[in-house]
Amino acid sequence: MKRVFIYKNDVPRTLEIAEALEKKLEVAGIRIEDSPSEVDLILCVGGDGTLLNLMQKHEFPTVPVAGINTGHLGFFQEIAPEKIDEFIVRFLEGDLVIQPYNIAKADIIFEDGGEIAYRALNEFVIKGQGTHPVHLNISINESFIERFSGDGIIVSTPAGSTAYNYSLGGALVDPRLNLLQVAPMAPMNNTAYRSLTSSILLPANDSLIIKPCDEQSSTLGILFDGQDQVYSGIKSIELCLSRRKINLVRFGGTTFWDKVKTKFL
Ligand code: NAP
């Protein structure tokens, strides 16, 4: 017997669709579990933000996740509610296409020797407080690249390239590519400060190292997939692709670029 876990937001339309989904799953003989461990599939009902919350809350499960879209954009959430019957048949027949997605990892190291780590499906944003610019030394692996001055830095996965990264002028990246995109947020470029003004792309095994240049810049906002934290006494932040990937179910036969066309143009 196939087993699924359902994750949903609490929007009325989602709750209505989730209730209908549960009934259809029961009729099809699919068991609904209370936890995502040891299931064949996770069904996520909501928008892209709901999928991001699911990943953070359940530590980026590697079991396939199928998104039923009740949100606004639905870039991850490919299954329209009216396609649920067709989806259940294909699930029972084992006829689903799985697309692995990279996730990003950030290790924050503090002056006092402490460390904390986060993962993100879309992106990390490293930024200053209020309107103060931050001054950050940026290296790739061991090589120093630039002293960045500006609002901050956004480091996104291919999955996140269509989200905040895109609004900031970053490039759209096909999720089959294994890379990290580093885009500057309002970089200062004048005779006093010289920062790169375009995004740069890092291959899978490289790391971006960010070190605050002064006391004020050692207090930073760390945003990841819509969640945010502020930390003081930061010595360095290392960002790279995680070895772990998540697996999203593709449905409807559309390519990444079909979706870009439908959602953005
Ligand atoms: P949210 O309301 O959950 O998401 C904001 C919008 O971003 C929603 O329309 C959401 O789609 C869409 N979105 C999320 N991931 C996407 C992706 N990979 N590709 C295309 N669109 C995507 O807001 P939140 O909880 O604060 O933050 C979640 C995400 O919002 C962040 O990871 C960040 O990328 C994005 N964000 C964007 C901006 C900006 O563009 N200026 C600013 C802040 C944050 P649904 O409607 O389907 O949920």
PDB file of all heavy atoms in Angstrom, residues 46-49 67 69-79 250 259 263:
ATOM      1  N   GLY A  46      -0.596  24.263  -1.245  1.00  0.00           N
ATOM      2  CA  GLY A  46      -0.378  25.686  -0.950  1.00  0.00           C
ATOM      3  C   GLY A  46       0.360  26.335  -2.094  1.00  0.00           C
ATOM      4  O   GLY A  46       0.307  25.864  -3.231  1.00  0.00           O
ATOM      5  N   GLY A  47       1.108  27.395  -1.783  1.00  0.00           N
ATOM      6  CA  GLY A  47       1.909  28.078  -2.797  1.00  0.00           C
ATOM      7  C   GLY A  47       3.377  27.701  -2.654  1.00  0.00           C
ATOM      8  O   GLY A  47       3.726  26.806  -1.871  1.00  0.00           O
ATOM      9  N   ASP A  48       4.222  28.401  -3.389  1.00  0.00           N
ATOM     10  CA  ASP A  48       5.667  28.139  -3.286  1.00  0.00           C
ATOM     11  C   ASP A  48       6.158  28.374  -1.852  1.00  0.00           C
ATOM     12  O   ASP A  48       7.034  27.659  -1.359  1.00  0.00           O
ATOM     13  CB  ASP A  48       6.435  29.055  -4.248  1.00  0.00           C
ATOM     14  CG  ASP A  48       6.185  28.682  -5.703  1.00  0.00           C
ATOM     15  OD1 ASP A  48       5.941  27.497  -5.974  1.00  0.00           O
ATOM     16  OD2 ASP A  48       6.241  29.588  -6.556  1.00  0.00           O
ATOM     17  N   GLY A  49       5.580  29.397  -1.197  1.00  0.00           N
ATOM     18  CA  GLY A  49       5.975  29.693   0.185  1.00  0.00           C
ATOM     19  C   GLY A  49       5.693  28.501   1.101  1.00  0.00           C
ATOM     20  O   GLY A  49       6.447  28.239   2.041  1.00  0.00           O
ATOM     21  N   GLY A  67       3.683  19.163  -5.432  1.00  0.00           N
ATOM     22  CA  GLY A  67       3.034  20.384  -4.969  1.00  0.00           C
ATOM     23  C   GLY A  67       1.702  20.620  -5.660  1.00  0.00           C
ATOM     24  O   GLY A  67       1.620  20.649  -6.889  1.00  0.00           O
ATOM     25  N   ASN A  69      -1.030  23.334  -6.264  1.00  0.00           N
ATOM     26  CA  ASN A  69      -0.965  24.789  -6.176  1.00  0.00           C
ATOM     27  C   ASN A  69      -2.279  25.448  -5.785  1.00  0.00           C
ATOM     28  O   ASN A  69      -3.254  25.407  -6.526  1.00  0.00           O
ATOM     29  CB  ASN A  69      -0.502  25.368  -7.520  1.00  0.00           C
ATOM     30  CG  ASN A  69      -0.241  26.861  -7.418  1.00  0.00           C
ATOM     31  OD1 ASN A  69       0.093  27.366  -6.347  1.00  0.00           O
ATOM     32  ND2 ASN A  69      -0.407  27.574  -8.518  1.00  0.00           N
ATOM     33  N   THR A  70      -2.273  26.077  -4.595  1.00  0.00           N
ATOM     34  CA  THR A  70      -3.406  26.931  -4.227  1.00  0.00           C
ATOM     35  C   THR A  70      -2.881  28.340  -3.940  1.00  0.00           C
ATOM     36  O   THR A  70      -3.570  29.158  -3.348  1.00  0.00           O
ATOM     37  CB  THR A  70      -4.142  26.373  -2.984  1.00  0.00           C
ATOM     38  OG1 THR A  70      -3.223  26.340  -1.889  1.00  0.00           O
ATOM     39  CG2 THR A  70      -4.691  24.990  -3.228  1.00  0.00           C
ATOM     40  N   GLY A  71      -1.618  28.608  -4.324  1.00  0.00           N
ATOM     41  CA  GLY A  71      -0.999  29.913  -4.082  1.00  0.00           C
ATOM     42  C   GLY A  71      -1.157  30.821  -5.281  1.00  0.00           C
ATOM     43  O   GLY A  71      -1.973  30.575  -6.170  1.00  0.00           O
ATOM     44  N   HIS A  72      -0.310  31.869  -5.316  1.00  0.00           N
ATOM     45  CA  HIS A  72      -0.435  32.846  -6.390  1.00  0.00           C
ATOM     46  C   HIS A  72       0.376  32.430  -7.614  1.00  0.00           C
ATOM     47  O   HIS A  72      -0.129  32.311  -8.711  1.00  0.00           O
ATOM     48  CB  HIS A  72       0.047  34.214  -5.903  1.00  0.00           C
ATOM     49  CG  HIS A  72      -0.806  34.757  -4.814  1.00  0.00           C
ATOM     50  ND1 HIS A  72      -0.360  34.957  -3.534  1.00  0.00           N
ATOM     51  CD2 HIS A  72      -2.111  35.103  -4.825  1.00  0.00           C
ATOM     52  CE1 HIS A  72      -1.348  35.414  -2.798  1.00  0.00           C
ATOM     53  NE2 HIS A  72      -2.422  35.513  -3.545  1.00  0.00           N
ATOM     54  N   LEU A  73       1.688  32.197  -7.385  1.00  0.00           N
ATOM     55  CA  LEU A  73       2.565  31.980  -8.531  1.00  0.00           C
ATOM     56  C   LEU A  73       2.700  30.499  -8.861  1.00  0.00           C
ATOM     57  O   LEU A  73       2.487  30.079  -9.990  1.00  0.00           O
ATOM     58  CB  LEU A  73       3.947  32.598  -8.244  1.00  0.00           C
ATOM     59  CG  LEU A  73       4.827  32.735  -9.464  1.00  0.00           C
ATOM     60  CD1 LEU A  73       4.241  33.744 -10.446  1.00  0.00           C
ATOM     61  CD2 LEU A  73       6.229  33.154  -9.081  1.00  0.00           C
ATOM     62  N   GLY A  74       3.076  29.699  -7.871  1.00  0.00           N
ATOM     63  CA  GLY A  74       3.147  28.248  -8.075  1.00  0.00           C
ATOM     64  C   GLY A  74       4.261  27.822  -8.995  1.00  0.00           C
ATOM     65  O   GLY A  74       4.042  27.036  -9.902  1.00  0.00           O
ATOM     66  N   PHE A  75       5.469  28.337  -8.745  1.00  0.00           N
ATOM     67  CA  PHE A  75       6.589  27.917  -9.593  1.00  0.00           C
ATOM     68  C   PHE A  75       7.014  26.492  -9.266  1.00  0.00           C
ATOM     69  O   PHE A  75       7.310  25.703 -10.149  1.00  0.00           O
ATOM     70  CB  PHE A  75       7.763  28.892  -9.424  1.00  0.00           C
ATOM     71  CG  PHE A  75       8.476  29.123 -10.712  1.00  0.00           C
ATOM     72  CD1 PHE A  75       8.049  30.098 -11.596  1.00  0.00           C
ATOM     73  CD2 PHE A  75       9.547  28.337 -11.089  1.00  0.00           C
ATOM     74  CE1 PHE A  75       8.671  30.288 -12.814  1.00  0.00           C
ATOM     75  CE2 PHE A  75      10.187  28.521 -12.299  1.00  0.00           C
ATOM     76  CZ  PHE A  75       9.747  29.496 -13.158  1.00  0.00           C
ATOM     77  N   PHE A  76       7.026  26.155  -7.970  1.00  0.00           N
ATOM     78  CA  PHE A  76       7.317  24.772  -7.564  1.00  0.00           C
ATOM     79  C   PHE A  76       6.058  23.911  -7.635  1.00  0.00           C
ATOM     80  O   PHE A  76       6.127  22.715  -7.886  1.00  0.00           O
ATOM     81  CB  PHE A  76       7.794  24.710  -6.112  1.00  0.00           C
ATOM     82  CG  PHE A  76       9.102  25.384  -5.841  1.00  0.00           C
ATOM     83  CD1 PHE A  76       9.209  26.357  -4.854  1.00  0.00           C
ATOM     84  CD2 PHE A  76      10.244  25.034  -6.543  1.00  0.00           C
ATOM     85  CE1 PHE A  76      10.422  26.953  -4.580  1.00  0.00           C
ATOM     86  CE2 PHE A  76      11.456  25.638  -6.274  1.00  0.00           C
ATOM     87  CZ  PHE A  76      11.539  26.598  -5.286  1.00  0.00           C
ATOM     88  N   GLN A  77       4.931  24.550  -7.309  1.00  0.00           N
ATOM     89  CA  GLN A  77       3.670  23.826  -7.102  1.00  0.00           C
ATOM     90  C   GLN A  77       2.991  23.603  -8.453  1.00  0.00           C
ATOM     91  O   GLN A  77       2.157  24.384  -8.881  1.00  0.00           O
ATOM     92  CB  GLN A  77       2.773  24.658  -6.181  1.00  0.00           C
ATOM     93  CG  GLN A  77       3.389  24.972  -4.827  1.00  0.00           C
ATOM     94  CD  GLN A  77       3.442  23.756  -3.956  1.00  0.00           C
ATOM     95  OE1 GLN A  77       4.445  23.050  -3.949  1.00  0.00           O
ATOM     96  NE2 GLN A  77       2.382  23.481  -3.233  1.00  0.00           N
ATOM     97  N   GLU A  78       3.302  22.489  -9.107  1.00  0.00           N
ATOM     98  CA  GLU A  78       2.914  22.310 -10.511  1.00  0.00           C
ATOM     99  C   GLU A  78       1.534  21.737 -10.732  1.00  0.00           C
ATOM    100  O   GLU A  78       0.993  21.822 -11.823  1.00  0.00           O
ATOM    101  CB  GLU A  78       3.901  21.346 -11.182  1.00  0.00           C
ATOM    102  CG  GLU A  78       5.182  21.984 -11.534  1.00  0.00           C
ATOM    103  CD  GLU A  78       5.914  21.230 -12.623  1.00  0.00           C
ATOM    104  OE1 GLU A  78       5.475  20.151 -13.037  1.00  0.00           O
ATOM    105  OE2 GLU A  78       6.942  21.740 -13.044  1.00  0.00           O
ATOM    106  N   ILE A  79       0.971  21.071  -9.707  1.00  0.00           N
ATOM    107  CA  ILE A  79      -0.281  20.339  -9.957  1.00  0.00           C
ATOM    108  C   ILE A  79      -1.479  21.246  -9.663  1.00  0.00           C
ATOM    109  O   ILE A  79      -1.649  21.718  -8.529  1.00  0.00           O
ATOM    110  CB  ILE A  79      -0.337  19.061  -9.095  1.00  0.00           C
ATOM    111  CG1 ILE A  79       0.907  18.209  -9.376  1.00  0.00           C
ATOM    112  CG2 ILE A  79      -1.613  18.272  -9.356  1.00  0.00           C
ATOM    113  CD1 ILE A  79       1.182  17.157  -8.344  1.00  0.00           C
ATOM    114  N   ARG A 250       7.609  16.477 -11.153  1.00  0.00           N
ATOM    115  CA  ARG A 250       7.227  17.317 -12.304  1.00  0.00           C
ATOM    116  C   ARG A 250       5.952  16.737 -12.888  1.00  0.00           C
ATOM    117  O   ARG A 250       5.789  15.527 -12.965  1.00  0.00           O
ATOM    118  CB  ARG A 250       8.320  17.332 -13.373  1.00  0.00           C
ATOM    119  CG  ARG A 250       9.637  17.880 -12.907  1.00  0.00           C
ATOM    120  CD  ARG A 250       9.677  19.411 -12.974  1.00  0.00           C
ATOM    121  NE  ARG A 250       8.672  20.071 -12.142  1.00  0.00           N
ATOM    122  CZ  ARG A 250       8.934  20.794 -11.052  1.00  0.00           C
ATOM    123  NH1 ARG A 250      10.157  20.929 -10.655  1.00  0.00           N
ATOM    124  NH2 ARG A 250       7.978  21.386 -10.375  1.00  0.00           N
ATOM    125  N   LYS A 259       7.731  27.159 -18.136  1.00  0.00           N
ATOM    126  CA  LYS A 259       7.190  27.781 -16.918  1.00  0.00           C
ATOM    127  C   LYS A 259       7.580  29.249 -16.842  1.00  0.00           C
ATOM    128  O   LYS A 259       6.784  30.107 -16.467  1.00  0.00           O
ATOM    129  CB  LYS A 259       7.689  27.034 -15.673  1.00  0.00           C
ATOM    130  CG  LYS A 259       6.769  25.920 -15.275  1.00  0.00           C
ATOM    131  CD  LYS A 259       6.974  25.479 -13.864  1.00  0.00           C
ATOM    132  CE  LYS A 259       8.250  24.687 -13.746  1.00  0.00           C
ATOM    133  NZ  LYS A 259       8.512  24.238 -12.376  1.00  0.00           N
ATOM    134  N   LYS A 263       4.801  32.051 -16.481  1.00  0.00           N
ATOM    135  CA  LYS A 263       4.671  32.802 -15.222  1.00  0.00           C
ATOM    136  C   LYS A 263       5.196  34.233 -15.321  1.00  0.00           C
ATOM    137  O   LYS A 263       4.789  35.085 -14.539  1.00  0.00           O
ATOM    138  CB  LYS A 263       5.455  32.099 -14.093  1.00  0.00           C
ATOM    139  CG  LYS A 263       5.106  30.634 -13.887  1.00  0.00           C
ATOM    140  CD  LYS A 263       3.835  30.437 -13.110  1.00  0.00           C
ATOM    141  CE  LYS A 263       3.547  28.974 -12.908  1.00  0.00           C
ATOM    142  NZ  LYS A 263       2.255  28.728 -12.287  1.00  0.00           N
TER     143      LYS A 263
END
